[in-house]
Amino acid sequence: MSAPRPEQPTLPLTFRPTLTRVVLLSVGLAMFLVITVIALMLERLNPGERITFVFVAALFFGVLALLSRPRVTADDTGVTVVNLTRTRRLAWEEILRVNLRSGDPWVFLDLSDGTSLPALGIQPGLAKQRAIRDARALRSLAEAHGSGSDDTPAGR
């Protein structure tokens, strides 16, 4: 007789590094405001130079906003992995294993086509315990909805 499975998280469910996102967007906004104010306060700048300052500030903010984009969304039909520049939709059956080993910068999904997909939406950088909890939840969902299994506990 097998042990009862822990209760599954309610779907849909989105995993994202919230603290990292808040830090990146806050720093980006602060940088944009400071550079823009400096551009407006410097009297020796002509309008073209002021526009260049604001453009560079917007570029910095855009890069930090791009870095804050990653997330993993699970629903009844599968998982959507949003990384920096790519979004990939996976059916549950495509996910064989959810891995977050000690020292990994983020979760890796082992797929049925023999590849591994990084899922940057779960990363232990600033919130290690939350990342381990999220990886376990995603692993549990993959095992319940697809063919996913894993011998290694999350965080190892």
Side-chain angles (χ1 to χ4, degrees):
M1 183 172 231
S2 65
R5 283 188 174 263
E7 189 173 319
Q8 295 297 313
T10 305
L11 295 175
L13 184 60
T14 299
F15 305 103
R16 68 173 24 155
T18 306
L19 183 57
T20 300
R21 182 178 169 86
V22 167
V23 168
L24 288 170
L25 292 175
S26 298
V27 167
L29 181 60
M31 283 177 46
F32 177 80
L33 292 174
V34 167
I35 292 172
T36 300
V37 167
I38 288 172
L40 296 174
M41 289 178 55
L42 291 175
E43 296 172 5
R44 296 188 322 183
L45 296 180
N46 65 45
E49 291 169 327
R50 290 179 202 272
I51 290 171
T52 302
F53 264 75
V54 174
F55 175 76
V56 169
L59 189 62
F60 282 147
F61 181 79
V63 168
L64 293 178
L66 185 66
L67 291 172
S68 73
R69 184 174 181 252
R71 72 177 183 277
V72 177
T73 303
D75 60 33
D76 291 327
T77 60
V79 174
T80 302
V81 177
V82 178
N83 287 332
L84 296 179
T85 59
R86 278 191 76 192
T87 299
R88 184 157 176 201
R89 178 74 184 160
L90 301 165
W92 285 113
E93 296 75 25
E94 293 179 79
I95 302 171
L96 299 179
R97 185 172 293 124
V98 177
N99 294 310
L100 178 60
R101 296 178 206 84
S102 181
D104 281 350
W106 40 71
V107 163
F108 288 91
L109 305 177
D110 291 340
L111 305 179
S112 59
D113 65 1
T115 62
S116 183
L117 176 68
L120 280 64
I122 303 174
Q123 40 182 277
L126 295 176
K128 184 177 182 179
Q129 292 307 314
R130 179 177 173 165
I132 291 169
R133 208 171 38 250
D134 289 351
R136 286 183 176 148
L138 184 59
R139 176 178 301 140
S140 175
L141 288 167
E143 289 172 353
H145 288 87
S147 60
S149 66
D150 189 8
D151 303 327
T152 308
R156 288 194 174 203

